[in-house]
């Protein structure tokens, strides 16, 4: 009887992370991953809406839309503000939690909870204690491709990332920009 209970508990604990691992496997494909997203954020009465493409490969992530290009690689962030022709170089504090940590699972501040099956999709709830954020990742039950990511911090801040389409089987071709005549701001210490 003890062994049966142990096996059931082990299966439950392992299955909690299986969906998250499936999601990570999709996003971290050796070929790279491209996600066409719509991003909306509400903070009190202000709202920001944006759409663009998120590129992911190994430890490099790029978000590109008509106004900005953001590249995260090895703890460094490059932000290109296209309308004002400005480039900002910055670094991430090791204690900070970013959306990229959710994609990679590389931060102990993110607590993944048991997955829930909903209408042929899997919802993966998570908490980020450091910022008192609750959220979830909605993925395809078939291949682990992300469908939606939600972050909620109290009722004051809500972020919704809707993934309109995605691929991890093609060429990884993030855009490149000539920034030779851009203003440069270096915030790296």
């Amino acid at each position: 009887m003890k062994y049966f209970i142990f096996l059931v508990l082990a299966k439950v604990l392992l299955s909690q992370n299986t969906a998250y691992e499936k999601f990570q496997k999709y996003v971290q494909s050796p070929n790279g991953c491209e996600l066409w997203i719509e991003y909306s954020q509400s903070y009190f009465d202000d709202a920001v809406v944006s759409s663009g493409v998120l590129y992911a490969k190994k430890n490099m992530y790029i978000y590109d839309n008509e106004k900005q290009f953001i590249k995260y690689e090895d703890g460094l962030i490059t932000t290109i503000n296209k309308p004002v022709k400005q480039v900002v170089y910055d670094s991430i504090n090791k204690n900070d939690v970013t959306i990229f940590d959710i994609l990679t699972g590389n931060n102990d501040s993110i607590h993944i909870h048991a997955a829930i099956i909903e209408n042929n999709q899997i919802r993966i709830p998570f908490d980020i204690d450091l910022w008192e954020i609750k959220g979830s990742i909605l993925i395809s039950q078939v291949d682990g491709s992300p469908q939606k990511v939600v972050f909620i911090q109290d009722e004051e801040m809500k972020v919704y990332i809707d993934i309109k389409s995605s691929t991890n089987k093609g060429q990884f071709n993030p855009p490149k920009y000539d920034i030779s005549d851009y203003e440069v701001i270096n915030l790296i210490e």
Side-chain angles (χ1 to χ4, degrees), residues 21 55 84 115 143 178:
E21 289 168 4
Y55 302 87
V84 297
D143 63 2
D178 178 9

Side-chain angles (χ1 to χ4, degrees), residues 32-95:
C33 179
E34 294 180 10
L35 308 171
W36 289 265
I37 66 173
E38 280 188 10
Y39 170 91
S40 62
Q41 176 180 330
S42 62
Y43 185 69
F44 291 105
D45 293 334
D46 293 330
V48 174
V49 178
S50 170
S51 61
V53 182
L54 178 68
Y55 302 87
K57 188 167 187 176
K58 294 190 182 186
N59 292 325
M60 180 180 67
Y61 301 92
I62 295 172
Y63 175 69
D64 186 52
N65 67 21
E66 65 184 38
K67 294 183 180 179
Q68 64 183 352
F69 169 94
I70 302 168
K71 178 179 177 182
Y72 173 83
E73 185 172 22
D74 297 325
L76 301 175
I77 295 179
T78 302
T79 303
I80 299 173
N81 185 329
K82 298 173 190 177
V84 297
K85 293 190 164 195
Q86 184 181 72
V87 180
V88 178
Y89 297 106
D90 202 354
S91 60
I92 295 289
N93 183 327
K94 291 187 181 192
N95 295 327

Side-chain angles (χ1 to χ4, degrees), residues 129 137 162 184:
D129 294 337
I137 305 165
D162 290 308
V184 174

Side-chain angles (χ1 to χ4, degrees), residues 15-35:
S15 68
Q16 288 181 7
N17 289 329
T18 302
Y20 186 60
E21 289 168 4
K22 193 175 193 177
F23 159 71
Q24 286 183 314
K25 185 177 179 182
Y26 184 91
V27 174
Q28 297 177 19
S29 165
N31 296 326
C33 179
E34 294 180 10
L35 308 171

Side-chain angles (χ1 to χ4, degrees), residues 53-162:
V53 182
L54 178 68
Y55 302 87
K57 188 167 187 176
K58 294 190 182 186
N59 292 325
M60 180 180 67
Y61 301 92
I62 295 172
Y63 175 69
D64 186 52
N65 67 21
E66 65 184 38
K67 294 183 180 179
Q68 64 183 352
F69 169 94
I70 302 168
K71 178 179 177 182
Y72 173 83
E73 185 172 22
D74 297 325
L76 301 175
I77 295 179
T78 302
T79 303
I80 299 173
N81 185 329
K82 298 173 190 177
V84 297
K85 293 190 164 195
Q86 184 181 72
V87 180
V88 178
Y89 297 106
D90 202 354
S91 60
I92 295 289
N93 183 327
K94 291 187 181 192
N95 295 327
D96 288 343
V97 180
T98 68
I99 181 70
F100 310 114
D101 295 317
I102 293 170
L103 297 175
T104 63
N106 289 337
N107 194 306
D108 294 333
S109 298
I110 302 168
H111 304 284
I112 304 297
H113 302 289
I116 304 159
I117 296 175
E118 298 176 351
N119 301 326
N120 296 325
Q121 296 176 324
I122 301 172
R123 180 172 307 281
I124 306 165
F126 63 85
D127 295 322
I128 303 172
D129 294 337
L130 183 66
W131 294 343
E132 297 178 4
I133 290 177
K134 295 192 179 300
S136 65
I137 305 165
L138 190 64
I139 66 170
S140 164
Q141 197 170 4
V142 176
D143 63 2
S145 62
Q147 310 294 308
K148 185 173 198 155
V149 181
V150 175
F151 301 90
I152 298 174
Q153 185 179 38
D154 298 325
E155 288 300 313
E156 294 142 12
M157 187 191 78
K158 297 177 184 178
V159 175
Y160 299 95
I161 301 171
D162 290 308

